[in-house]
Amino acid sequence: MKHPQLWQMAAFLLLILPTSLLAEVQRFDLGASDWKLNNHAGRKISSVEGVTGTVLEITGDGTYSNAWMLPGVSVEKIRENKNVGILRFKARRTAGSGGGMTGMDFANFDIPITNEWKTFSLTFQIPNNRTEGTIRLGQWRIAGTLQFAEVELLEATPGFADNGLSADEFYAPGEKTYSFVSRWGHETGNYSRSLADVRVWYNTHRWCFGKNSSLTYRFDAPQRDSGRFFGGTFQCSVGYHTGGTLLVETSPDGENWTLLGKLEGVGSLETALPAWEKGIPTLWIRFSQPDEGSLQLYSLRWTGFLAPQETENAENVPPGTQTLTEKGNTYFWELLRGEPGFPVPAVADLPKTIPGEQFFEKTIDWKNPAGKACQSTVRCRYYVSDYYREDFGYALSGDDSNGSLWWCEATWKVTPRRRTPTQKGTFCQLFAARNDRESIQIVRRPNVQETLQSVTFTPLKNAAGDQISAENIDLRQVYYHFVENPTDSTGVNDFYPDALPPLSLPARLEAGQNFPLWITFSIPSGTPAGDYSTVMRLTFQSSEGTQTEEVPIQLRVWNFDLPKRNHVETAFGFSPGTSWWYHGVTSEEDKRKINELYFQLMSDYRISPYKPTPMDEYSISFVVDKEKPENSHAKIDFERFDREMERVLEKFHFTGIQLRLPGMGWGTFHERSGPSIQGYGEDTPEFQAMFSSMVRQIESHLREKGWLDLAYIYWFDEPDAKDYEFVRDGMNLIKKYAPDLPTMLTEEPSVKTIAENALGKVDIWCPVTPNFSEEEAKLCKAKGERFWWYVCCWPHAPYCTEFIDHSAVEMRTWLWQTWKYDVKGILIWTSNYWTSNTAFPDLNQPQNPYEDPMSYVSGYSVPKGTKRFWGNGDGRLYYPPLSCATPSKTPNFDLPVPSIRLALLREGIEDYEMLYLLQEKLKKATPEEKARYAPLLEVPAGITQSMTEFSTSPQPIYEHRAKVAEALEALSR
């Protein structure tokens, strides 16, 4: 199988399509008898508001799947035209929760469905061995009701970016490399410009292989360099396997194949491609499964060298300098009216103001190969990621002959090549309370390569002469991480900003590439309120000479203080061992220095570790009395623990202490271990005596020190129903002897478990955010129980998450949701998850969290060497220094590096504290003041209307925050 080089020919091929191949839309009558419900509950409804025609409804109870099916749908013409199919319909949820399982029998898509009608466009390539298919509109084990309407099947012509690359292709001119990164499951579905032959079926984000199935790609080398591949690296992974072998083969011509490797179970194949001395213009990759069994291909990534490796550029560049890869794109054009075979329009300037699915229409006048004048009206369906929106920022005045300078608030993510804003601004403006921190971004976009030589600030002072010291201005640069595998449909394959290392000068800036500076102002307690100003001076050096830019900055200091210790509780995992490893320290003294660096960072960003005394926990020894078992007991030395706790609470203002209970047992939904002390099980009198002695002493000591309210016992994580009895027995064991020791459980307290006390006495409930229920929370709070909640590898969109490839505002909005739903604390399982010992089992080659932002699954019986995804940035809110991005061989005491997500989490915590202060002020306010200001305690729908409906623009937050500040100043007079 051979075809012309698509790299140069993509647009030309569309010009010579036969005029008889008119793209037709197939619209379906949902009331027709051909639509069949395959099992269980469902019905047809003839009239429903908001849609036209018959509606198909389907209901599940959480234990089965069912669907409406339409067999015998022709897809032959779409396949023959080498176009893609789009199944378009509307769907909504009328009861319960959960999404749909939809699409064709050869291309399934699991989709999120909300209670509002929404149009879905499922894009797929037709398998080469299929001429017809079955439409499926259904659900998989959801407890709820879904409705579907206005179903149609159409074909669309793919078009690509101006550089000829599709959305899964990348080109690095400086490095002379071409990369393909699979992006199955996004708006392009399973389609790729490089797909040559498909004989497998597709499911949401993976290819599914049965016996005698195969999948073939053909990759053409870009013509801008040599137009040939001279070698490369290859990686693919199987994420599901019940039998069979995945054969991976490569070929330079599509005829002569060489086995690259095999996968006979769940795991990854990583290998070097052959070195072709003279280069090859195309590379073919074929996956096949000849045996009985089922397996699924989860990812494919390969990089081709476009020049012999010895010619690579070895130029030294300043630390943190990043040359960004040029990426492709894919758009699908639907013919609305006129002649087929139209030339694909240029798409570089499609509107990007509004995020989400967009449609762009264009009428094209063109001539076919015979010279006949033709006209076609076409429509492009395209998706604007929130990451690409351009409705923010302000261009600053000044000489922009060598480049532009602009600024924006911190709660935006600036893409590497985002255009300079059209909106003008003569100065930067920000607002902060005392004991508050507020950040902005100053962005340089040079026209030619240049270096930033220096950055200075004039004294920050007000009209009365009051000054804020320069040591309260923190200057950082923004580091971009390439997201190879987007976490969910929100993300895209591109470079995302996250790490905030200190600015290292001189800094090299690339032509046409944004270089954001992250500037944070810290306002000390005691600072007089008022308007402060400073001028930031930046000096640039290029081949055009030296250029100095001045940026005026105005800071309003509000007349109130934020508390040093949060009222919203925070619990964030922290692995000292991981930080010691990356910093290359081994002695106790050096380990303590590293701990101090990270605890200072956590304190600066208002979060607390689970364990604030990791090297000074109370020591416990157990004494067994064999003659009188009931006299067995625990001896506890609190001296070191007390000294360190007093110090860290005073210095870092942490809000919690996870208690250590040796012998308690532990568990997760995956595995567990029962209680045991010195070999004595829970049923023995020795265990009961020693355990009761231990917990009673801990409870008494914490009460005496005033720390009981800070404490929590977190001994079991995310139990399933099968674990409830085990959890209940453990909770009862604690409460039997120490009823006031607070217990915490990462689980949602369903009404059933509350009524039956199935989980024992829980003092702090901590569900993952999608499982939070206001109804259940009210029942628990009535019993004096508290509520926290958490995010981790789940949820995905449309919830607020911690992922790098989500909008910047989400971490901040999460705290507004925390206030809205009266949740008292937030938790994230860890904060320095820089590598996975499952995905990177070689301790000499762990993950570099700067180069690879993905957090890979670790444990849970996943085979060593397997790369499964938890999400980009999951459990990684700060980074090791750039100087030890991989573990240092010698002790390194450079400061840890925060992230944009951590900075915006802090902004959200500070917002929460402002609302808390207002609530406290109103307790002593006059009736008139309460009537005026109490409504400000309600979170506006413009910020967040529900857990899944919130603004991705920070503007509503800034507006309401200003009103809260105005009220606090008025009530403080």
Side-chain angles (χ1 to χ4, degrees):
M1 180 182 296
K2 296 184 178 180
H3 57 71
Q5 296 250 342
L6 289 179
W7 202 281
Q8 293 178 317
M9 302 289 292
F12 175 74
L13 285 175
L14 295 171
L15 290 172
I16 61 174
L17 287 175
T19 58
S20 61
L21 298 182
L22 177 62
E24 296 179 354
V25 178
Q26 300 182 59
R27 294 184 173 88
F28 302 99
D29 177 7
L30 304 191
S33 59
D34 292 346
W35 285 94
K36 302 293 185 183
L37 181 65
N38 65 353
N39 57 64
H40 296 289
R43 60 175 178 158
K44 295 183 179 181
I45 308 173
S46 59
S47 179
V48 175
E49 185 178 356
V51 294
T52 59
T54 302
V55 168
L56 299 179
E57 184 177 272
I58 195 163
T59 298
D61 68 359
T63 63
Y64 59 79
S65 66
N66 58 334
W68 284 99
M69 315 280 281
L70 179 66
V73 178
S74 175
V75 295
E76 185 173 10
K77 181 176 289 187
I78 301 175
R79 178 173 61 81
E80 288 179 351
N81 291 352
K82 293 183 169 51
N83 283 339
V84 299
I86 296 177
L87 182 68
R88 185 169 293 150
F89 55 86
K90 290 183 178 179
R92 71 173 180 178
R93 186 180 67 239
T94 60
S97 60
M101 191 164 68
T102 59
M104 307 294 294
D105 59 334
F106 52 77
N108 177 73
F109 296 82
D110 296 336
I111 58 173
I113 298 179
T114 65
N115 58 4
E116 299 291 334
W117 283 113
K118 177 183 175 183
T119 299
F120 293 88
S121 297
L122 311 181
T123 304
F124 47 85
Q125 186 152 329
I126 312 297
N128 293 66
N129 56 355
R130 297 295 296 270
T131 59
E132 62 179 38
T134 298
I135 296 177
R136 185 183 195 282
L137 302 173
Q139 62 82 24
W140 172 260
R141 295 183 179 179
I142 72 164
T145 298
L146 308 178
Q147 292 181 341
F148 302 92
E150 300 179 16
V151 180
E152 61 183 19
L153 177 65
L154 58 150
E155 69 173 282
T157 302
F160 311 112
D162 290 344
N163 57 20
L165 302 178
S166 59
D168 44 20
E169 298 175 284
F170 305 86
Y171 171 66
E175 299 176 5
K176 293 187 179 297
T177 60
Y178 161 91
S179 295
F180 174 89
V181 181
S182 59
R183 62 188 319 272
W184 310 319
H186 296 271
E187 69 274 8
T188 52
N190 65 10
Y191 173 78
S192 173
R193 185 180 75 89
S194 303
L195 267 177
D197 189 77
V198 179
R199 299 178 190 273
V200 293
W201 70 281
Y202 173 79
N203 187 8
T204 303
H205 59 79
R206 57 210 185 265
W207 291 102
C208 304
F209 290 73
K211 184 177 180 180
N212 295 328
S213 57
S214 65
L215 179 70
T216 305
Y217 283 86
R218 169 182 166 151
F219 304 99
D220 299 305
Q223 300 301 305
R224 278 167 286 180
D225 291 296
S226 66
R228 306 181 77 82
F229 297 122
F230 291 85
T233 60
F234 176 87
Q235 185 272 332
C236 70
S237 65
V238 168
Y240 175 85
H241 181 275
T242 61
T245 300
L246 184 69
L247 304 180
V248 186
E249 300 169 285
T250 182
S251 170
D253 54 17
E255 296 179 358
N256 301 291
W257 296 89
T258 300
L259 183 66
L260 199 58
K262 299 180 181 179
L263 281 168
E264 298 179 310
V266 172
S268 299
L269 171 64
E270 298 187 38
T271 186
L273 292 170
W276 299 286
E277 183 178 352
K278 296 182 179 180
I280 58 174
T282 59
L283 176 71
W284 297 71
I285 300 289
R286 182 170 68 191
F287 301 91
S288 60
Q289 208 291 79
D291 307 322
E292 296 286 351
S294 175
L295 56 87
Q296 297 177 5
L297 181 68
Y298 271 43
S299 67
L300 163 62
R301 188 257 167 84
W302 81 279
T303 296
F305 305 139
L306 301 174
Q309 285 295 278
E310 60 268 22
T311 67
E312 285 188 341
N313 189 349
E315 178 187 359
N316 292 322
V317 297
T321 299
Q322 297 174 277
T323 301
L324 303 184
T325 299
E326 186 179 321
K327 69 187 297 288
N329 220 324
T330 304
Y331 299 93
F332 299 107
W333 293 92
E334 306 162 18
L335 178 61
L336 299 181
R337 295 176 298 278
E339 300 294 325
F342 56 88
V344 176
V347 295
D349 296 323
L350 291 177
K352 298 178 182 178
T353 301
I354 304 173
E357 187 176 65
Q358 308 296 328
F359 291 89
F360 177 79
E361 286 191 17
K362 185 179 181 66
T363 297
I364 307 169
D365 293 308
W366 56 285
K367 291 184 178 181
N368 68 13
K372 177 187 175 183
C374 301
Q375 187 178 78
S376 304
T377 300
V378 297
R379 180 172 65 177
C380 175
R381 175 184 71 94
Y382 67 103
Y383 180 82
V384 178
S385 168
D386 196 82
Y387 184 46
Y388 293 138
R389 64 191 297 171
E390 297 182 351
D391 57 342
F392 67 91
Y394 309 87
L396 295 163
S397 59
D399 180 12
D400 60 358
S401 57
N402 291 332
S404 60
L405 197 67
W406 58 282
W407 81 277
C408 65
E409 297 87 353
T411 321
W412 292 106
K413 290 186 178 178
V414 176
T415 59
R417 293 187 174 89
R418 189 245 203 243
R419 294 172 293 191
T420 302
T422 56
Q423 186 174 357
K424 301 294 183 181
T426 57
F427 60 90
C428 310
Q429 189 172 32
L430 62 164
F431 305 82
R434 291 186 287 261
N435 200 32
D436 188 5
R437 292 176 172 88
E438 193 71 14
S439 304
I440 56 172
Q441 298 179 80
I442 307 294
V443 186
R444 174 67 168 179
R445 194 177 194 273
N447 296 331
V448 296
Q449 187 183 97
E450 63 184 17
T451 58
L452 174 60
Q453 297 288 347
S454 66
V455 181
T456 61
F457 294 87
T458 61
L460 184 62
K461 60 184 180 180
N462 63 12
D466 301 311
Q467 291 195 25
I468 299 175
S469 170
E471 67 184 16
N472 292 294
I473 303 176
D474 182 39
L475 182 60
R476 298 180 176 272
Q477 70 183 73
V478 174
Y479 192 97
Y480 286 91
H481 314 258
F482 181 63
V483 169
E484 180 177 302
N485 298 286
T487 301
D488 54 34
S489 60
T490 298
V492 294
N493 296 101
D494 207 338
F495 286 85
Y496 277 80
D498 193 52
L500 296 172
L503 177 62
S504 178
L505 296 175
R508 191 174 83 178
L509 283 60
E510 301 293 338
Q513 181 175 311
N514 287 314
F515 187 88
L517 294 172
W518 188 277
I519 308 161
T520 302
F521 295 86
S522 301
I523 316 303
S525 296
T527 300
D531 294 318
Y532 292 75
S533 61
T534 182
V535 175
M536 177 183 183
R537 291 194 177 97
L538 305 97
T539 302
F540 303 97
Q541 182 72 44
S542 72
S543 59
E544 306 293 328
T546 301
Q547 179 183 5
T548 298
E549 293 279 5
E550 292 191 347
V551 180
I553 301 174
Q554 294 186 6
L555 168 66
R556 165 71 60 87
V557 176
W558 288 320
N559 193 26
F560 58 89
D561 293 68
L562 294 185
K564 291 183 178 180
R565 177 172 288 120
N566 305 332
H567 294 90
V568 61
E569 299 168 275
T570 60
F572 287 67
F574 166 67
S575 169
T578 299
S579 62
W580 300 339
W581 178 25
Y582 275 74
H583 281 264
V585 300
T586 55
S587 70
E588 179 178 342
E589 180 183 2
D590 287 348
K591 289 178 179 179
R592 288 185 178 275
K593 290 179 181 178
I594 297 301
N595 285 355
E596 195 76 359
L597 295 180
Y598 282 87
F599 279 3
Q600 185 63 61
L601 176 84
M602 297 178 84
S603 176
D604 288 344
Y605 287 83
R606 289 184 172 266
I607 64 172
S608 306
Y610 287 168
K611 298 180 178 180
T613 61
M615 299 181 70
D616 296 285
E617 295 192 293
Y618 42 77
S619 61
I620 303 176
S621 59
F622 293 100
V623 178
V624 178
D625 190 328
K626 295 184 178 180
E627 294 184 1
K628 293 184 177 182
E630 66 276 10
N631 289 339
S632 300
H633 59 279
K635 291 184 177 180
I636 306 180
D637 184 351
F638 290 103
E639 183 180 355
R640 289 178 59 180
F641 171 77
D642 287 350
R643 184 170 58 248
E644 182 65 1
M645 272 300 300
E646 289 169 358
R647 186 186 75 85
V648 297
L649 289 178
E650 174 64 26
K651 181 176 181 179
F652 300 128
H653 314 295
F654 294 147
T655 64
I657 316 163
Q658 182 188 359
L659 297 178
R660 183 174 65 96
L661 297 183
M664 174 66 218
W666 58 272
T668 71
F669 64 89
H670 181 68
E671 58 182 331
R672 65 193 191 203
S673 177
S676 177
I677 298 177
Q678 301 282 349
Y680 293 93
E682 182 181 3
D683 295 335
T684 64
E686 290 87 351
F687 175 92
Q688 293 290 328
M690 289 185 285
F691 187 85
S692 63
S693 171
M694 173 181 65
V695 296
R696 284 168 172 160
Q697 290 181 66
I698 292 173
E699 179 187 57
S700 175
H701 186 79
L702 292 176
R703 181 182 291 111
E704 178 185 339
K705 299 293 292 185
W707 297 336
L708 197 57
D709 288 342
L710 299 177
Y712 58 95
I713 302 169
Y714 177 17
W715 68 279
F716 202 101
D717 188 46
E718 299 178 336
D720 281 338
K722 63 178 172 53
D723 306 307
Y724 283 1
E725 182 179 358
F726 181 81
V727 172
R728 182 195 63 208
D729 292 344
M731 295 296 185
N732 290 341
L733 175 65
I734 296 168
K735 293 299 183 179
K736 178 179 179 181
Y737 301 115
D740 292 334
L741 278 183
T743 55
M744 189 273 282
L745 185 65
T746 48
E747 176 67 312
E748 63 276 7
S750 70
V751 175
K752 183 175 185 295
T753 57
I754 293 171
E756 298 179 3
N757 197 29
L759 291 167
K761 173 60 177 173
V762 177
D763 297 296
I764 305 170
W765 295 98
C766 188
V768 66
T769 52
N771 291 342
F772 174 80
S773 164
E774 283 189 274
E775 176 189 0
E776 294 165 3
K778 288 177 182 177
L779 292 172
C780 293
K781 291 171 186 176
K783 298 191 297 182
E785 297 165 353
R786 283 182 284 168
F787 257 84
W788 295 354
W789 58 11
Y790 71 99
V791 295
C792 58
C793 54
W794 190 65
H796 286 180
Y799 291 88
C800 289
T801 75
E802 60 171 320
F803 302 122
I804 290 172
D805 46 338
H806 273 231
S807 63
V809 78
E810 289 188 20
M811 280 273 86
R812 189 169 189 172
T813 301
W814 185 31
L815 271 296
W816 287 83
Q817 292 178 343
T818 301
W819 178 268
K820 175 182 176 70
Y821 293 104
D822 193 28
V823 176
K824 301 302 183 184
I826 58 173
L827 178 147
I828 293 181
W829 67 285
T830 192
S831 48
N832 63 330
Y833 186 64
W834 299 331
T835 189
S836 159
N837 58 15
T838 297
F840 298 86
D842 185 351
L843 296 182
N844 293 315
Q845 293 183 314
Q847 189 173 0
N848 180 327
Y850 286 91
E851 293 183 359
D852 185 356
M854 177 58 69
S855 294
Y856 297 96
V857 175
S858 208
Y860 298 99
S861 300
V862 176
K864 292 287 187 181
T866 302
K867 290 183 177 179
R868 287 186 182 174
F869 307 144
W870 268 336
N872 290 290
D874 178 41
R876 185 183 302 164
L877 292 175
Y878 43 82
Y879 296 79
L882 276 167
S883 55
C884 51
T886 54
S888 176
K889 301 298 183 183
T890 57
N892 182 310
F893 299 100
D894 289 346
L895 295 176
V897 173
S899 68
I900 290 177
R901 292 166 299 130
L902 182 60
L904 296 177
L905 180 72
R906 177 176 65 188
E907 297 284 4
I909 291 171
E910 290 166 343
D911 295 339
Y912 183 105
E913 294 303 312
M914 285 179 61
L915 292 165
Y916 179 88
L917 283 178
L918 179 58
Q919 178 178 265
E920 294 302 297
K921 291 280 187 183
L922 287 173
K923 290 178 180 178
K924 301 178 181 179
T926 66
E928 293 78 10
E929 290 171 330
K930 290 179 179 179
R932 180 177 180 181
Y933 297 124
L936 294 175
L937 297 175
E938 298 294 324
V939 177
I943 294 176
T944 178
Q945 185 171 338
S946 69
M947 297 295 292
T948 59
E949 298 168 293
F950 52 87
S951 172
T952 55
S953 166
Q955 195 57 38
I957 291 178
Y958 288 123
E959 291 173 0
H960 195 73
R961 176 175 175 262
K963 294 176 183 177
V964 172
E966 180 183 355
L968 285 170
E969 288 192 312
L971 294 171
S972 299
R973 295 191 185 107

